[in-house]
Amino acid sequence: MMDQAQNLRKMISTKNNEVKHKEESVNNNNVLVYTITSGKGGVGKSNFTVNLAVEMQRRGRKVLIIDGDYGMANVNVLFGIVPKKTLHDVIYKGVPLREVVIESESGVKIISGGSGFFEMTEVSEERQNALIEGMLQLKDIDIILIDTSAGVSRNLLSFISFSQEMILVTTPEPTSLTDAYSLIKMVAKMSIKDSIKVVINKTRDQRNADAIFNRLEKAALSFLGIHLNKLGYVVEDSKVKDSVMEQTPFIELHPNCTASKNISSIVDKLLGQKYSNAEKTTMQQVVSRMMRVFR
Ligand SMILES: Nc1ncnc2c1ncn2[C@@H]1O[C@H](COP(=O)(O)OP(=O)(O)OP(=O)(O)O)[C@@H](O)[C@H]1O
Ligand SMILES: [Mg+2]
């Protein structure tokens, strides 16, 4: 008799073959996963994630956001979309994943985690398999952005470890920086990542962002031995709040505002030559790693 793990492996390897077959026709099997994190809450992760996704999609990438946030201005609210079902329903109520995937006007796909997403554990084998199947049926995804809720949990650390890139958002506020440092410390101590990409949000200007980044980078390297990578900055811009009120991403509503230009520069960097070497994985590798989180 096969044990659960064997069963799952068998299923993944069967799917592997099926997907390979399908991918031959759609020619799309590489997925890059970014987990967007912060130490402190309310620093702008969800706004950053949504606008990054829209800009990447505009440049021809197929983007899926997994919304692990259940705060006020979460991903769906920022898109002006009301999700009827969430990943929570897939895992605990057997709802098919396709019923949970929503497509925004920009083409960005969104899966809402639902409340408690980052606390889910001991998901049954049957539900894991259903989720694997559902994820594998999502064709044409190049990039997955996981928007997390603030606060460290076992699941959050697991998500960081299985994603190829961790993006840490912080503001120049001392409390935000202290909490960012605590998260970096945890990641370094558990050897989860060798390097972390940092975005300074709600900054005055580039000079201010550079000064903040340099301080954080120095501390992380000398005390924790971990490399921080300057991904960019987004200025404090009143257009961001206007767009939240309008429930439309600022990069769509105000494409020429400073915050939009900052996001665009970050996308230049992420999609540029230097970063395109990040190890890409197939969707089935992504989902099998994701399942380890929920076990
Ligand atoms: N660059 C910016 N300029 C001005 N306001 C901003 C900027 N980025 C975010 N905000 C504002 O900060 C608030 C928090 O943003 P957001 O919800 O994206 O943060 P978060 O990190 O996702 O929060 P949580 O930890 O609760 O999930 C929002 O009201 C948003 O309008
Ligand atoms: Mg959020």
Side-chain angles (χ1 to χ4, degrees), residues 97-117:
L97 187 71
R98 64 175 179 279
E99 288 184 24
V100 174
V101 183
I102 302 175
E103 194 167 321
S104 75
E105 232 170 81
S106 57
V108 171
K109 294 189 174 73
I110 306 135
I111 295 178
S112 178
S115 82
F117 177 62

Side-chain angles (χ1 to χ4, degrees), residues 6 14 33 37 61 67 80 84 95-96 98 104-105 110 117-118 120 132 139 143 180 197 213 221 224 263-265 292:
Q6 265 180 315
T14 314
V33 184
T37 64
R61 304 306 193 277
D67 179 9
K84 290 193 184 69
V95 168
R98 64 175 179 279
S104 75
E105 232 170 81
I110 306 135
F117 177 62
F118 276 98
M120 285 187 215
I132 291 172
K139 276 183 250 156
I143 290 168
K197 296 194 188 317
F213 174 81
L221 194 59
L224 308 172
I263 292 284
S264 179
S265 302
R292 277 184 228 140

Side-chain angles (χ1 to χ4, degrees), residues 38 40-48 69 71-73 78 147-150 201-202 234-238 240-241 244 259:
S38 72
K40 190 172 174 277
V43 298
K45 290 180 298 297
S46 299
N47 272 278
F48 172 74
D69 182 16
M72 293 295 282
L78 296 176
D147 180 24
T148 67
S149 50
N201 189 31
K202 302 194 199 182
V234 183
V235 297
E236 170 121 52
D237 190 331
S238 61
V240 175
K241 282 207 166 81
V244 172

